[in-house]
Amino acid sequence: MSLLNVEGLEVSFVTRNGTSKAVDNVSFSVDHGKMTAIIGESGSGKSVSCYAMLGLVPSPPGRIDDGKALFNGSDLLQMSERELRAVRGKDIAMVFQDPMTCLNPHTRIGEQLIEPLVTHTDIERAQAWERATDLLGEVGLRDPAGAMKAYPHEFSGGMRQRVMIAMALINEPKLLIADEPTTALDVTIQAQILYLIKELQTRRDIGVLFISHDLAVVADIADEIVVMEKGKVVEHGSPEAIFHNAQHPYTQKLLAAIPSGEAEVREAAQAEPLIRIDNLRTWFEVEGRDEPVKAVDDVSLTINRGEVLGLVGESGSGKSTLGRAILRLAPITEGSVAFDGVNLSTLQGNPLKRFRRRMQMIFQDPYASLNPRMTVYDTLAEPLLLHNIVSKKQLDAAIRQLMDDVGLARAFVKKYPHEFSGGQRQRIAIGRALATKPEFIVADEPVSALDVTIQAQILDLLADLGKEYGLTMLFVSHDLAVIRHIANRIVVMYHGKLVEEGDVHSIFESPRADYTRRLLESIPGAALAS
């Protein structure tokens, strides 16, 4: 008998615009000691399915219309809130996507970690503390005793996610639900967390329900894959069946969108440098530290006209700071940045403003970089008017052209950012960057927060616009598979320094630096190549 057996689950949300069915006749199972992965884009119903069976969907507006969720033979959907509380955190535990929003910033890690143990058992506090410390060691924290006394903000994203996994496992649950636990993590940290979850599942013989939007992530770890689209299960089977013999068009679309393919060979239009960076340093003084933070440390490189240079590295490697320093959005401690022969590091005031028209930036999170009080029309109009690119009579036509260029319906022009999806918002941000007809764009992790199919659309859009406008681009990412899809040449950063530089083929086929090899080994989806 399965550990968890969900049958005919239906969940609706009642809104002002009517009733929307989020989960429609969904069935799946998780066996003892096995991992079932639920895959689908945002809005497919995968997370709602799991939240519903644990009583975590708010009612109203959420409503469970039908179905069963049999856990060890007992129907979770028929349990009272008191009965569910006894199950949650003890027999069924959950790891959420963003550990920073799940951990209390005012409470030390140790206190948060022992809370579920003290709540669900009669264990003495000293014993609970000892067990929690041992568990932090088991999930890979180097100094478990010190970590118990730390606060969440003192940890990196990967370390916080390890704490969340330890908290989920502390009561030795029979079922672990992991909801997008690696989406916000660097590719090397992601590989560590995936390996950790798989290893703990095997060692502790627990069932795992793994939720993700990315098929490549689960390729090597899942025993069964369930694919959801618009609230329905459209396909399920073993990883081998899904990856090598997918039947449903939606599954085939997800597989086709994984950016594992060969880079399109596109030579730079000219071999002359547009950007020349010499011995650049961006150091930050931090109170309480004797040494400055060397975010960018003696970096020299050139970016040729018409090329897409991929800049790759983990969080904290200095790649985003380098991109910002080139555009004078971060301070330059030493060294120089030359744009078309002009030293930007010495420009101030109006001369710098004139150059800003020629260089733009696309940020990682469009929702944070777009003004929520400005319509799309106002957002696109602002740079056009600021730099006197068009007259007010020409403004409407220019904005319509930008909407066409980035693939947004002209009818959307009076909408606000919150009325769009993440992919649509990123298209608006790209339109704003293109408004000044720049020669150079820094794209800082522009697809890392997007579903894999939307990611592919944005990458193709940037590649097409790059050709159409003759753009030179610095494309910043922590994901080498994404970089491979779009770049002509790649530079690798680690701890503020460039550790490797080369064309796409040489970086992927014969990397010289140990760090580059580690990044390549961390790309998920070995099953795709087998």
Side-chain angles (χ1 to χ4, degrees):
M1 187 176 69
S2 298
L3 174 64
L4 174 70
N5 196 29
V6 176
E7 301 173 3
L9 181 63
E10 300 199 357
V11 182
S12 299
F13 286 89
V14 181
T15 69
R16 286 177 296 179
N17 299 321
T19 300
S20 170
K21 184 157 280 190
V23 179
D24 189 1
N25 194 27
V26 164
S27 299
F28 59 86
S29 63
V30 182
D31 291 337
H32 292 271
K34 299 291 185 180
M35 181 185 293
T36 296
I38 303 182
I39 304 298
E41 297 172 277
S42 297
S44 63
K46 58 189 187 297
S47 293
V48 174
S49 299
C50 298
Y51 290 7
M53 65 189 187
L54 293 179
L56 297 178
V57 172
S59 176
R63 184 182 72 199
I64 297 175
D65 297 321
D66 200 2
K68 296 179 181 178
L70 301 174
F71 175 70
N72 270 347
S74 299
D75 191 353
L76 296 170
L77 302 183
Q78 298 302 317
M79 290 183 180
S80 66
E81 180 59 30
R82 184 176 180 180
E83 289 171 321
L84 272 176
R85 274 201 302 269
V87 172
R88 290 193 304 245
K90 185 177 183 293
D91 295 323
I92 303 177
M94 195 155 190
V95 180
F96 295 92
Q97 179 174 344
D98 183 2
M100 196 59 183
T101 60
C102 300
L103 293 169
N104 188 330
H106 301 290
T107 306
R108 295 182 191 274
I109 293 297
E111 295 297 333
Q112 298 186 61
L113 199 50
I114 67 172
E115 184 181 6
L117 194 55
V118 172
T119 300
H120 291 284
T121 69
D122 297 326
I123 192 171
E124 294 290 330
R125 180 181 168 82
Q127 288 178 285
W129 194 270
E130 185 178 350
R131 186 187 294 185
T133 305
D134 291 342
L135 193 51
L136 285 181
E138 189 178 349
V139 298
L141 291 184
R142 292 193 188 94
D143 179 17
M148 290 286 283
K149 299 172 185 175
Y151 288 94
H153 73 270
E154 298 179 74
F155 288 166
S156 68
M159 291 169 68
R160 285 194 291 264
Q161 198 59 284
R162 288 171 186 270
V163 170
M164 289 298 299
I165 292 170
M167 192 180 298
L169 294 176
I170 198 161
N171 274 316
E172 301 184 356
K174 299 178 179 69
L175 174 67
L176 177 67
I177 301 175
D179 185 12
E180 301 266 16
T182 62
T183 297
L185 303 178
D186 291 332
V187 66
T188 49
I189 308 301
Q190 173 179 267
Q192 294 169 19
I193 296 297
L194 292 173
Y195 174 78
L196 173 63
I197 290 174
K198 186 65 178 176
E199 183 192 31
L200 291 169
Q201 174 221 326
T202 304
R203 191 185 331 145
R204 289 170 171 257
D205 194 35
I206 59 176
V208 176
L209 186 58
F210 194 104
I211 303 168
S212 179
H213 66 259
D214 191 345
L215 268 167
V217 164
V218 302
D220 304 323
I221 61 172
D223 298 295
E224 183 82 5
I225 295 176
V226 177
V227 182
M228 287 186 68
E229 181 192 23
K230 296 178 181 176
K232 294 177 179 287
V233 173
V234 296
E235 190 160 2
H236 66 88
S238 67
E240 292 75 18
I242 295 293
F243 287 115
H244 301 299
N245 191 28
Q247 301 297 306
H248 196 276
Y250 179 69
T251 312
Q252 293 166 358
K253 186 177 82 167
L254 288 179
L255 287 167
I258 296 171
S260 59
E262 295 294 329
E264 178 186 351
V265 177
R266 182 168 65 87
E267 296 298 326
Q270 302 174 43
E272 63 174 294
L274 177 66
I275 308 289
R276 188 184 296 278
I277 301 159
D278 291 307
N279 306 112
L280 185 68
R281 288 188 171 98
T282 296
W283 293 3
F284 297 99
E285 298 292 337
V286 178
E287 190 176 347
R289 284 184 56 145
D290 295 333
E291 291 284 323
V293 175
K294 299 178 180 181
V296 178
D297 194 15
D298 198 22
V299 167
S300 297
L301 64 91
T302 58
I303 306 174
N304 293 323
R305 270 186 206 279
E307 82 167 338
V308 177
L309 178 66
L311 174 59
V312 69
E314 297 170 274
S315 293
S317 62
K319 59 188 188 300
S320 292
T321 304
L322 175 59
R324 289 166 185 261
I326 293 171
L327 300 185
R328 292 288 308 276
L329 298 176
I332 295 174
T333 307
E334 287 182 25
S336 64
V337 176
F339 183 105
D340 202 13
V342 176
N343 187 354
L344 294 181
S345 48
T346 61
L347 293 183
Q348 300 291 336
N350 285 330
L352 180 60
K353 180 183 173 182
R354 284 194 292 273
F355 264 93
R356 293 223 185 278
R357 173 178 172 172
R358 301 173 65 183
M359 50 187 191
Q360 291 290 313
M361 189 159 190
I362 303 166
F363 295 92
Q364 178 174 354
D365 181 0
Y367 200 63
S369 62
L370 295 172
N371 189 328
R373 296 177 181 272
M374 290 173 68
T375 63
V376 176
Y377 185 96
D378 294 333
T379 297
L380 298 180
E382 186 177 43
L384 292 170
L385 296 174
L386 178 68
H387 292 284
N388 299 312
I389 293 168
V390 297
S391 67
K392 288 192 175 180
K393 285 184 179 179
Q394 300 168 315
L395 187 60
D396 287 354
I399 289 174
R400 285 196 297 270
Q401 183 60 51
L402 283 171
M403 295 290 279
D404 293 344
D405 286 346
V406 299
L408 286 172
R410 293 181 177 184
F412 292 169
V413 78
K414 293 299 183 183
K415 288 189 172 185
Y416 291 88
H418 73 271
E419 298 179 85
F420 293 95
S421 68
Q424 289 174 321
R425 283 196 290 264
Q426 197 59 285
R427 288 174 185 269
I428 297 166
I430 292 169
R432 181 179 60 183
L434 291 174
T436 65
K437 293 185 169 57
E439 296 164 57
F440 176 62
I441 283 180
V442 175
D444 186 12
E445 300 268 14
V447 298
S448 65
L450 303 177
D451 287 335
V452 67
T453 50
I454 308 302
Q455 183 181 92
Q457 293 171 19
I458 297 298
L459 289 173
D460 289 343
L461 173 66
L462 285 170
D464 291 343
L465 290 170
K467 293 176 191 173
E468 183 180 340
Y469 281 85
L471 291 172
T472 304
M473 194 182 308
L474 178 66
F475 192 100
V476 181
S477 180
H478 64 257
D479 189 341
L480 268 166
V482 166
I483 290 286
R484 183 179 195 171
H485 189 81
I486 197 169
N488 305 109
R489 196 160 54 92
I490 297 173
V491 291
V492 182
M493 276 191 85
Y494 181 62
H495 286 184
K497 294 182 179 290
L498 291 189
V499 295
E500 187 151 6
E501 180 177 352
D503 61 60
V504 174
H505 183 268
S506 64
I507 292 291
F508 273 83
E509 301 303 324
S510 54
R512 298 186 305 276
D514 290 340
Y515 177 66
T516 309
R517 285 192 284 270
R518 289 206 306 274
L519 285 177
L520 288 167
E521 289 165 1
S522 299
I523 297 174
L528 295 173
S530 60

